[in-house]
Amino acid sequence: MSNPTELGLYSTLPETLKKRSGGTPDVPVDPVTKKFTQGYIERTVDQQISDVRGQVAYRDRVDGRELMLVNAYRENPSLDTRVGFKRDSKGRRIRRKTVTAKERRSLKLFEIPKDKQKYTLFEPLNCMWNQYMAQLLSVGQIKGPETLFRGDAKQRQNMMGRVVKADLHGAMMEVVRSKCPNFVGIRGIVAQETKNTFRMVTADDRLATVPKAKTAFSVVFADGSQCTVFGDQFAFRASERAAKKFKPKPTVDIN
């Protein structure tokens, strides 16, 4: 293989080509590090302001980073396979059609099969949720749900703020009060949460759908402690509730 130096790959451009291209003049390598990139950036960035600005730009934006010199998706349209986009026959990018709510219901994407509505199948999920809550509520020497009943009022209020934002999939819940008496006493592990309902798998392998409105739920923790939440204040999707800022409210009348 020929030596690149012999082929003239690293030789300077002739003056005629420099004038024709209108590009920057020769930029020598950095005299200290002997690196072309550092020398090029320090001599081309903000030359009219300060030499220090070029050094800062190299250190903050280039040094130790992996830089893409080309946009692969723009250079090669065949690589444009990102989720949510496709191209028509003329090469124009169009948005992919999403699944509608009617199609989701017909496909039963969120339905739990009858043979999977087993309490024993959801017990490991409840164990994971207990570990999740123990880590979420641990503060200092007070571990887990004990923070809901110990400490000052400000600390307890802070912990309750974490509970109302927590993911309740896998939580053990029981209906303690409801405008409809038929729901009172239902106890199970939360399998699904929608904006207006909790779907719980009970100990007798039954999937019970309980509305949040006019209903009070008791959340049971691993150590047996419980806290009461009102469904009217939980009328949000789980993702929306995690980002919502709750304010203290008086007790909700469910009668």
Side-chain angles (χ1 to χ4, degrees):
M1 180 178 294
S2 301
N3 191 340
T5 306
E6 298 176 357
L7 298 177
L9 296 179
Y10 302 128
S11 59
T12 59
L13 290 174
E15 293 295 332
T16 55
L17 293 179
K18 294 179 185 177
K19 296 179 180 179
R20 187 186 308 172
S21 62
T24 58
D26 283 339
V27 180
V29 297
D30 187 85
V32 178
T33 62
K34 305 299 182 180
K35 294 182 179 179
F36 169 79
T37 304
Q38 183 175 352
Y40 177 81
I41 292 178
E42 292 181 357
R43 288 167 175 79
T44 54
V45 176
D46 294 336
Q47 285 182 332
Q48 300 177 355
I49 301 176
S50 172
D51 294 338
V52 179
R53 187 70 62 84
Q55 299 175 4
V56 173
Y58 174 78
R59 185 179 65 251
D60 294 344
R61 302 185 180 183
V62 179
D63 189 23
R65 295 171 179 254
E66 295 183 2
L67 304 178
M68 290 186 62
L69 301 181
V70 296
N71 189 334
Y73 292 108
R74 181 172 295 180
E75 296 291 334
N76 189 356
S78 63
L79 297 178
D80 194 1
T81 56
R82 288 171 289 183
V83 176
F85 294 98
K86 61 180 180 180
R87 294 184 178 273
D88 57 12
S89 58
K90 296 183 179 180
R92 295 173 299 187
R93 192 171 66 179
I94 59 177
R95 187 175 296 274
R96 184 180 303 169
K97 181 182 178 182
T98 58
V99 180
T100 63
K102 183 178 180 180
E103 291 174 343
R104 286 197 297 267
R105 288 193 296 268
S106 62
L107 294 174
K108 299 181 179 180
L109 296 179
F110 301 108
E111 294 293 329
I112 302 177
K114 190 70 175 178
D115 58 337
K116 297 297 187 296
Q117 299 176 11
K118 304 293 184 182
Y119 185 81
T120 55
L121 296 179
F122 288 88
E123 285 181 331
L125 179 63
N126 178 246
C127 293
M128 293 177 60
W129 185 84
N130 289 328
Q131 297 174 5
Y132 157 69
M133 291 303 296
Q135 183 178 2
L136 181 66
L137 298 178
S138 296
V139 176
Q141 300 297 326
I142 306 177
K143 303 297 182 180
E146 295 181 8
T147 53
L148 297 174
F149 313 100
R150 295 174 56 185
D152 54 13
K154 185 177 181 180
Q155 187 180 42
R156 292 198 301 269
Q157 183 177 354
N158 184 26
M159 292 300 101
M160 285 302 300
R162 297 186 184 185
V163 172
V164 297
K165 291 186 177 184
D167 188 350
L168 296 178
H169 290 91
M172 178 68 70
M173 297 182 66
E174 181 179 359
V175 179
V176 293
R177 294 176 61 190
S178 177
K179 188 175 182 180
C180 179
N182 294 334
F183 292 123
V184 177
I186 295 179
R187 180 187 177 101
I189 301 174
V190 177
Q192 290 178 335
E193 179 186 359
T194 64
K195 181 178 180 180
N196 297 309
T197 63
F198 282 114
R199 305 187 72 188
M200 300 181 290
V201 177
T202 62
D204 56 353
D205 298 336
R206 182 170 58 92
L207 185 64
T209 302
V210 182
K212 295 180 180 179
K214 305 298 181 182
T215 306
F217 301 87
S218 177
V219 182
V220 184
F221 298 97
D223 60 354
S225 58
Q226 304 180 16
C227 69
T228 302
V229 295
F230 294 91
D232 292 278
Q233 298 180 343
F234 269 63
F236 304 96
R237 295 182 178 91
S239 57
E240 297 174 353
R241 179 163 49 80
K244 183 175 176 59
K245 184 176 181 180
F246 289 89
K247 297 181 180 179
K249 294 182 179 180
T251 302
V252 178
D253 186 10
I254 62 177
N255 295 325

